[in-house]
Amino acid sequence: MVNNSIDVLNRFEEYREMVKSKAKENSVGLGLERLVADGNELLLFHGVVITCALGSDKGALGICSKKRCGVCRVIGSNFFVREDTARTTTSLCGNSWRAHEKVATECIANGVSPATRKGIILCKVIAGRVVRAPKFGLMDGEKGGFDSVVSSTGDQPDGSQDLMVLNPRAILPCFVIIYNVCKGTMFQ
């Protein structure tokens, strides 16, 4: 279980209230009851690489400061990214298998051993208003004011989709599942 700070919890709840408030102002007759009720809260998954001893038999309980340790970087920053990176959104998956596939693909692309320890972070997400495809002029703060974007390549057999969350305050890490992939144990 992730022990989030009071500041992180407050930012998450403040973001939820902002989404609900915007929905109340703009929802007359539009069927946005879910937005008004809870901000369109979802449980989603995010895959990460683990390069420290967190959760191992070595007994590490706190987060590390290693740049390549995805789980510690994500939990330590609560999905806020450095300003010098091009990434401004966070992609979360509708199921844990999809999150595993994404992190495994990233390992291969970055030359990281497939046997590296991995983690799946289960997160509460305030999806807010969601647009089905990234269309020019429909992002947060522009005409439309969407909070998230559904991204689907259509090639997932289970029909799963990724959600691109535009504001890291909308994501609350709750649980981390740590696992190893042993050669020959994964489905082919």
Side-chain angles (χ1 to χ4, degrees):
M1 185 165 110
V2 177
N3 292 318
N4 291 295
S5 71
I6 296 296
D7 289 341
V8 169
L9 293 170
N10 286 339
R11 277 195 305 261
F12 180 76
E13 290 303 330
E14 286 169 6
Y15 186 80
R16 178 198 311 270
E17 292 305 316
M18 182 196 67
V19 168
K20 288 169 54 175
S21 175
K22 282 193 322 187
K24 284 177 189 173
E25 293 171 10
N26 302 317
S27 68
V28 179
L30 295 179
L32 301 177
E33 295 82 12
R34 176 83 190 271
L35 280 174
V36 174
D38 69 1
N40 195 12
E41 183 177 313
L42 305 171
L43 287 175
L44 298 173
F45 302 88
H46 183 73
V48 292
V49 170
I50 302 172
T51 60
C52 71
L54 182 68
S56 72
D57 57 0
K58 293 179 178 73
L61 297 174
I63 60 174
C64 74
S65 59
K66 294 180 180 180
K67 289 183 179 182
R68 296 185 73 82
C69 187
V71 71
C72 292
R73 227 179 38 251
V74 165
I75 292 172
S77 69
N78 196 50
F79 287 93
F80 280 88
V81 295
R82 295 188 333 257
E83 292 179 21
D84 62 337
T85 63
R87 195 178 100 205
T88 58
T89 62
T90 301
S91 175
L92 294 112
C93 303
N95 65 54
S96 59
W97 179 253
R98 176 76 180 122
H100 163 73
E101 287 179 322
K102 285 180 72 172
V103 75
T105 301
E106 288 175 19
C107 284
I108 293 167
N110 294 325
V112 176
S113 168
T116 300
R117 291 174 61 226
K118 296 173 184 65
I120 301 290
I121 304 173
L122 177 60
C123 304
K124 285 185 179 182
V125 178
I126 303 300
R129 288 189 60 205
V130 179
V131 65
R132 291 278 169 215
K135 296 180 181 175
F136 180 75
L138 294 178
M139 299 304 160
D140 189 42
E142 299 179 26
K143 182 180 178 185
F146 291 96
D147 304 296
S148 304
V149 179
V150 169
S151 167
S152 176
T153 60
D155 60 358
Q156 284 84 22
D158 62 359
S160 66
Q161 300 174 328
D162 294 348
L163 185 72
M164 302 298 292
V165 180
L166 303 177
N167 190 325
R169 296 183 311 150
I171 307 169
L172 183 68
C174 295
F175 297 97
V176 178
I177 299 105
I178 299 171
Y179 64 98
N180 291 319
V181 178
C182 300
K183 188 174 183 177
T185 60
M186 296 306 292
F187 299 27
Q188 297 297 327

